[in-house]
Amino acid sequence: MDVSFQLYSSREVPSQIDFLSRLADLGYTHVEGFGGVYDDPPAFRAALDTSGLKMASGHMAVADLESDVAGCLNLARTMGMNLVLAPYLETHERPTDTVGYAAFAKRLAAIHSNLNQEGLTFGWHNHDFELQPLEDGSIPLDVILTEAPDIAWEADLAWIVRGGADASDWVKKYGERMAAVHVKDLAPDGEKMDEDGWADVGEGTIDWASLVTQCRATAPYALMVMEHDKPADAARFAATSIAAFKGY
């Protein structure tokens, strides 16, 4: 399995471009893009090539994927992506019932159709809000993946745990749809509050040894993407996490 690094985790470093060589030295082969590194795609692609890293996947906003398909395709091609992921909905954008989430899934299916005909894979990346039951008992993530059966899934398993669900159960249910997995860890309750309760991989409460084994068996070609939403030290997180991951 290729080991990738979500560059959102290093958004506070002085230079994302300079940080690429550090990631390569640590053994990462891929990075995952997000909006903060898309200002000058040709320059960033040149830096990736120099470092020997590939940006096989990247996050793009739903609104951009709907309103500027050509621009998103150009960005993906310039960076070398084959996997595009819609990562989030702001609170005010989130549907409030099953009908609304089904309609949202149809929007994702339309994005998939646009990108798939251009040779790209498209998927949804979950947080925890998709795990909160709706009034009729439906789970939004179930609705999304059921009503848009052709899209891929980037499984953020720590957000699933934070949402009160069992990560292993979700891998069993939808693991064959996983094109990528976010590998991140949760600190024990009340710890690392300065890092929003997240921990470096291998130093938290999630049984990643078991989950990695399960993911490898279920989706052997999925990108494994190290991520921390608010690391106090991105270099520390990057080094600690890949070392732990390599032991699984």
Side-chain angles (χ1 to χ4, degrees):
M1 287 180 131
D2 290 316
V3 185
S4 185
F5 183 90
Q6 169 51 259
L7 292 170
Y8 183 77
S9 306
S10 51
R11 64 194 180 278
E12 300 295 339
V13 302
S15 169
Q16 289 273 31
I17 282 179
D18 291 345
F19 197 67
L20 295 176
S21 60
R22 182 180 289 238
L23 293 173
D25 289 344
L26 289 170
Y28 289 93
T29 56
H30 292 70
V31 293
E32 185 168 84
F34 78 109
V37 298
Y38 297 156
D39 289 345
D40 188 345
F44 206 88
R45 174 60 187 269
L48 288 168
D49 292 344
T50 297
S51 68
L53 295 170
K54 296 179 180 179
M55 187 182 286
S57 62
H59 286 189
M60 298 186 196
V62 172
D64 293 336
L65 289 162
E66 290 180 322
S67 66
D68 187 14
V69 177
C72 290
L73 286 170
N74 183 61
L75 172 60
R77 289 169 176 150
T78 300
M79 292 296 202
M81 298 175 197
N82 53 46
L83 173 62
V84 174
L85 301 153
Y88 193 62
L89 279 178
E90 297 291 345
T91 303
H92 69 277
E93 299 175 310
R94 297 172 192 170
T96 57
D97 57 20
T98 299
V99 172
Y101 269 104
F104 175 65
K106 298 305 182 187
R107 292 169 59 192
L108 296 181
I111 294 170
H112 162 79
S113 180
N114 289 334
L115 297 188
N116 186 250
Q117 65 186 357
E118 298 292 336
L120 296 174
T121 299
F122 170 72
W124 177 253
H125 166 274
N126 69 277
H127 285 75
D128 58 344
F129 67 87
E130 302 97 314
L131 280 298
Q132 305 311 307
L134 300 168
E135 188 173 337
D136 64 358
S138 298
I139 304 299
L141 189 55
D142 269 323
V143 178
I144 290 170
L145 295 176
T146 299
E147 296 294 328
D150 296 325
I151 70 170
W153 177 35
E154 179 170 58
D156 195 313
L157 300 181
W159 272 119
I160 286 179
V161 174
R162 204 163 199 174
D166 186 303
S168 179
D169 287 348
W170 280 85
V171 174
K172 289 175 186 175
K173 191 170 186 178
Y174 294 109
E176 293 182 356
R177 306 259 303 267
M178 295 188 308
V181 177
H182 270 190
V183 183
K184 62 204 291 184
D185 221 330
L186 281 170
D189 287 345
E191 296 186 15
K192 294 189 178 294
M193 300 309 294
D194 61 322
E195 297 186 88
D196 283 352
W198 302 108
D200 294 357
V201 177
E203 296 189 347
T205 59
I206 295 178
D207 183 5
W208 271 110
S210 295
L211 284 174
V212 168
T213 298
Q214 184 183 13
C215 290
R216 283 177 172 146
T218 307
Y221 299 107
L223 279 169
M224 303 299 281
V225 186
M226 307 298 116
E227 187 190 40
H228 191 307
D229 285 32
K230 192 181 177 183
D233 183 335
R236 178 214 73 206
F237 162 71
T240 301
S241 297
I242 194 170
F245 181 80
K246 287 182 176 180
Y248 297 144

